[in-house]
Amino acid sequence: MITPEAPDRSYSTRLRTALLLTGSGTAGAYHAGVLRALHEAGVKIDLVGGRGVGAASALFAAIDGGARLWEPTGIWKDRTSRRFYGWRRPLRFAGYAALAAGLVLVLPFALLATAVLTGLVGLVLSLVGLETAGTNLTASFSPWVETLFAPSALPTVVPRLVLFALLIAVAILTVAVIASYLHDPLRRRSRRGFLWRLFGAPLSSDALTDRCATDLWHLIRGAAPIAAPARHELARKYVELLAENQGQPGFRELLITAHDMDARRDLVFAFLAPAQRGRFFSRMFTEPGARQVEAFDLAGVGRDHVLDALAAALSVPLATEPRLVRFSPEGPWRGEAHRLCDRPESLARLIEEAAHAGAEQVILVSAAPPQGLAHELSGGRADLRGRAGEQLAAFETASFRDAVEQFTGRFASLFTVRPAHNPMTPLDFGGVYDERSDRTQTLGELVDRGYDDAYRQFIEPIVGAGAEPAEPVQRLNGAAGAPSQL
């Protein structure tokens, strides 16, 4: 929201404007709502950048494909979004097998409890004068109990079924470990121990990565019935589309950040207009040669890494496996394979790179609500995903505050759009119960909240009051398909 964090409330269509999207996981739904509002209002954007799930939002916004994010069948309102960042497949299947073993193990106790309950019901019927009904009920169930608990039946079958299910679970995990040793397309040596190979990072970002890649291909191919190409070829076609339409309405320059775990430095993937490209990629840091190993020109040899940058940005540290990326043998990394992932604190680096890309005013979008105050405590989450999500949300709120504090005054204007309250952590894709409103809130509502916040915090008070946008600001209240206002 626009508060003392952004004291300069002036907005000009003549200034080079950067839209920066930050956040992890479910924050992409909030980005979608904000992008829809900016699209409807015709706000001029020259450069769109992102970190975390903001990288996915930026990839779509750069080629005028944001509708794929907010449509009813789009990424964030489709029911399949519940499966994003699900448990890794081996762990999920092994869990199903272990659950089956537990259910079989509970079966004798359930039957015994049923027998006891039946006996009590028969006793009550006898006490109230319905002796015949009570006797018949007990007699009808007794043969079942005798048959099931016979030495050749339940006592023998149950242990075998439990053992069989547990063996299936162990076999699944063992195959997963062997596969991790044998299937390494990048031939990257790993020093992980057996237990880490067995369990590894518990979650997977593959579902969201695949969905983004599929929808990007649908945008690129248009109505042509062409099968999806390999990922590196899809990356090249994306860059070709962006280059051919640069300067056209809806097409913007692109900036993505990710973190190289092996080099311990942030990487920058950028597609810039010729006027900014040379200065951006030739700029040297204090450390000699740092720019050559950190900045990748997506308009040049780095074009193959578009989807690598996406997958890396969607990789949440510890929760998911990092993305293994093989760099070009002709580049500064000499063909090495590095592990890339997101870094929640890299928002400041994203803003810094936007400044070096020539941004004069910045619109910063985050799904992280403001810092808490006294008497705002809520019950902590007990589930694994909830605890991890709470920690990630707290880190992102703090990093957002630090970044805004650091860069206030560095631009002609720095505007922020963020929710006053957001009960959803980055991993609550199935929705979450909100104690304040005493109901469950969903991803679809988070999309609508982003739409509403963009109008209330930026479009109406800033664009509408201070400057004429590229197109008239027109809020589509009541229009078909327009989200409800919160």
Side-chain angles (χ1 to χ4, degrees), residues 2 5 13 15 51 63 104 279 393 418 447:
I2 300 175
E5 293 175 346
T13 58
L15 297 179
R51 64 140 289 269
I63 59 173
V104 173
R279 183 174 63 87
R418 65 191 306 193
V447 175

Side-chain angles (χ1 to χ4, degrees), residues 179-388:
S180 68
Y181 278 104
L182 299 180
H183 182 65
D184 184 6
L186 298 182
R187 300 294 185 267
R188 174 64 191 263
R189 187 176 63 178
S190 176
R191 294 179 294 178
R192 292 181 297 178
F194 177 80
L195 288 180
W196 183 255
R197 286 188 177 272
L198 186 62
F199 298 104
L203 306 181
S204 172
S205 61
D206 290 345
L208 179 54
T209 304
D210 294 342
R211 177 62 189 270
C212 290
T214 299
D215 281 28
L216 285 173
W217 172 240
H218 290 163
L219 286 170
I220 294 171
R221 74 174 185 177
I226 307 174
R231 289 294 174 86
H232 71 278
E233 185 64 26
L234 175 58
R236 293 187 178 186
K237 291 183 179 297
Y238 176 89
V239 172
E240 290 175 3
L241 177 66
L242 190 57
E244 292 172 357
N245 293 274
Q246 194 59 220
Q248 298 297 319
F251 286 81
R252 293 113 178 182
E253 298 167 52
L254 177 66
L255 184 66
I256 294 175
T257 60
H259 186 72
D260 188 335
M261 295 174 56
D262 294 299
R264 298 179 179 86
R265 62 172 80 231
D266 291 326
L267 302 183
V268 182
F269 302 85
F271 182 97
L272 301 176
Q276 304 293 335
R277 179 183 177 191
R279 183 174 63 87
F280 182 85
F281 289 102
S282 63
R283 181 175 59 87
M284 298 294 292
F285 290 161
T286 304
E287 179 184 351
R291 196 59 180 167
Q292 283 72 18
V293 299
E294 291 184 342
F296 291 83
D297 186 2
L298 297 180
V301 294
R303 63 184 182 277
D304 291 344
H305 293 311
V306 171
L307 294 185
D308 289 330
L310 169 65
L314 295 180
S315 298
V316 178
L318 293 180
T320 67
E321 290 285 353
R323 173 76 173 186
L324 273 177
V325 177
R326 171 81 67 186
F327 294 116
S328 171
E330 292 78 20
W333 293 115
R334 305 301 182 189
E336 294 179 357
H338 286 210
R339 296 168 298 168
L340 308 185
C341 67
D342 178 40
R343 185 171 71 90
E345 296 81 9
S346 64
L347 173 59
R349 178 62 183 275
L350 179 64
I351 302 176
E352 177 187 348
E353 294 297 336
H356 290 304
E360 298 170 291
Q361 60 185 4
V362 171
I363 306 168
L364 188 58
V365 180
S366 172
Q371 297 89 340
L373 300 174
H375 308 298
E376 290 186 355
L377 296 179
S378 60
R381 300 281 292 275
D383 57 300
L384 179 61
R385 292 170 64 93
R387 287 189 177 185

